[in-house]
Amino acid sequence: MSKKRKPKIEFRYYRMPEGSPLLALLGQRWVQTYGRDIDYLHFHNYLEIGYCYEGEGTLTLGERDYRYTGGEISIIPKNYPHTTNSDPGTVSKWEYVFVDVEGLLEELYQKGGNVKRMKYLLHRINSQAIFRGIEEAPGIAKMVRGILDIMRDTKEFYLEEAKGLMVALLVCIARENPDDKGPVEISGKITIPVSRALDYITLHYMEPLKVEELAKWCHISETHFRRVFSTYMHMGPLEYINLVRVQTACNYLKNTDESMADIAGKCGFTTLSTFNRNFKQVTGVSPSEWRRRPENYEQQLLKYWIHSEEGW
């Protein structure tokens, strides 16, 4: 019998490396006891592909629990609640690659491509999560392992090679997800309007955004949009946009030496004072202080509870 589901869901925002639709999480950091001190589901802003080399535990996808014992792959659409928990006293080894599916497909279809066909492929890829043993899906498992190794080795033209193999993998994923369900609500927990809004914010957070604009994009009234978004995200749309912008700024502060003014502009803040005020509101410190000691504050970005659901 499945254990009682956690009462909250956490949003984790990832930023792709400049010029790449792929972000690989590799190496010893991902050999760990998963789920330690964490008792809630989370979701991402990109497709997540995982490869389990060894370990024992439970992978939770939406409301279903799956046992893993090493030698499994997981393919989890963006905005899909999930979590991984190692069995008590055990260590598991996973590696991951996050994929900007839209960006990759737009690049593929940009020259005279069929936009309708691209959207249909995207729908199939995102229609459900996949969990398979490598013996059940050897072709997919081989491609996933190949992409991870390519991203690890970083040989000449490695990104071009990884992108080509990823396109082939995405086609296989689409074939695994038959189009027999119509429009999908992600695990029944994040409604289609909210999911559309999350997608739009991910692509346009650096631009001036209005709630009216988001509601129009979702084809519902602004009043209804605010109510639905706040119910499912446990924060208002403007607060969420601000969180995405601050999280993106944290990545710039940690990984570049760009000026505060340039980072503020890239993240959608119109003035430096607005950037400073909103950054401190989220992290509790100024951008300059965070840049000096990012390791002390990164965990604060994981404290934002998103979604409450009775029975979870």
Side-chain angles (χ1 to χ4, degrees):
M1 182 177 179
S2 296
K3 58 185 177 181
K4 186 177 180 181
R5 185 59 51 237
K6 298 88 176 176
K8 303 286 186 180
I9 294 180
E10 174 188 275
F11 170 66
R12 297 181 183 175
Y13 179 84
Y14 284 86
R15 180 174 174 268
M16 286 291 164
E18 193 71 31
S20 172
L22 306 176
L23 171 65
L25 307 182
L26 310 169
Q28 284 299 117
R29 179 182 176 185
W30 307 102
V31 181
Q32 59 177 272
T33 300
Y34 284 84
R36 183 179 55 194
D37 300 324
I38 298 175
D39 62 351
Y40 45 84
L41 303 179
H42 66 272
F43 63 95
H44 304 284
N45 56 321
Y46 292 112
L47 176 83
E48 175 196 291
I49 299 174
Y51 192 103
C52 181
Y53 296 86
E54 59 188 52
E56 295 182 41
T58 301
L59 174 66
T60 301
L61 299 174
E63 296 181 323
R64 296 188 62 182
D65 291 339
Y66 299 87
R67 290 290 300 170
Y68 69 84
T69 56
E72 292 90 6
I73 52 174
S74 61
I75 300 168
I76 306 173
K78 64 180 181 179
N79 302 331
Y80 199 112
H82 64 282
T83 195
T84 304
N85 288 282
S86 302
D87 285 347
T90 69
V91 172
S92 300
K93 179 182 179 181
W94 286 79
E95 288 189 324
Y96 302 93
V97 59
F98 287 86
V99 188
D100 177 4
V101 179
E102 290 88 342
L104 193 56
L105 293 183
E106 286 173 359
E107 184 178 331
L108 176 67
Y109 281 88
Q110 66 181 350
K111 293 184 178 179
N114 186 324
V115 175
K116 186 176 181 180
R117 183 70 173 173
M118 182 190 74
K119 290 183 177 179
Y120 177 62
L121 179 60
L122 183 62
H123 164 73
R124 291 278 292 271
I125 293 166
N126 287 324
S127 65
Q128 63 183 13
I130 295 173
F131 178 71
R132 299 278 190 278
I134 58 176
E135 70 284 351
E136 298 177 88
I140 289 179
K142 183 178 180 180
M143 284 189 280
V144 172
R145 184 67 179 269
I147 291 167
L148 293 170
D149 288 341
I150 291 168
M151 298 297 288
R152 188 191 332 276
D153 295 340
T154 62
K155 295 179 180 178
E156 187 178 17
F157 306 121
Y158 78 95
L159 188 56
E160 287 81 358
E161 183 181 9
K163 286 161 62 176
L165 190 53
M166 180 59 73
V167 169
L169 175 58
L170 292 175
V171 170
C172 290
I173 294 170
R175 289 172 178 162
E176 284 276 319
N177 293 337
D179 186 23
D180 58 0
K181 299 180 180 180
V184 175
E185 292 194 11
I186 305 300
S187 191
K189 298 301 173 185
I190 301 177
T191 67
I192 291 173
V194 173
S195 182
R196 284 177 60 86
L198 295 179
D199 292 347
Y200 191 85
I201 292 169
T202 297
L203 294 173
H204 300 280
Y205 68 87
M206 69 295 295
E207 304 168 8
L209 285 177
K210 296 181 179 179
V211 177
E212 178 185 7
E213 178 183 353
L214 292 172
K216 186 177 180 180
W217 174 252
C218 296
H219 306 297
I220 58 178
S221 71
E222 182 177 343
T223 300
H224 183 51
F225 172 75
R226 286 180 181 274
R227 182 168 60 249
V228 171
F229 192 98
S230 297
T231 297
Y232 278 81
M233 299 301 290
H234 207 56
M235 65 173 67
L238 293 179
E239 186 180 359
Y240 173 82
I241 293 168
N242 188 53
L243 176 60
V244 169
R245 287 171 172 167
V246 169
Q247 288 177 317
T248 305
C250 285
N251 283 317
Y252 278 119
L253 290 166
K254 182 178 181 180
N255 298 309
T256 77
D257 59 359
E258 295 185 46
S259 70
M260 295 296 177
D262 287 344
I263 292 174
K266 286 185 174 181
C267 296
F269 294 102
T270 54
T271 66
L272 187 56
S273 61
T274 301
F275 171 52
N276 290 333
R277 183 176 65 254
N278 283 279
F279 191 97
K280 188 168 186 177
Q281 183 179 359
V282 171
T283 66
V285 298
S286 67
S288 57
E289 186 175 358
W290 198 94
R291 174 172 259 171
R292 287 194 298 270
R293 295 183 291 164
E295 67 280 0
N296 295 336
Y297 303 112
E298 283 180 318
Q299 288 302 311
Q300 295 191 35
L301 295 176
L302 302 180
K303 294 179 181 178
Y304 277 77
W305 300 116
I306 301 298
H307 176 62
S308 300
E309 187 76 13
E310 280 191 22
W312 277 53

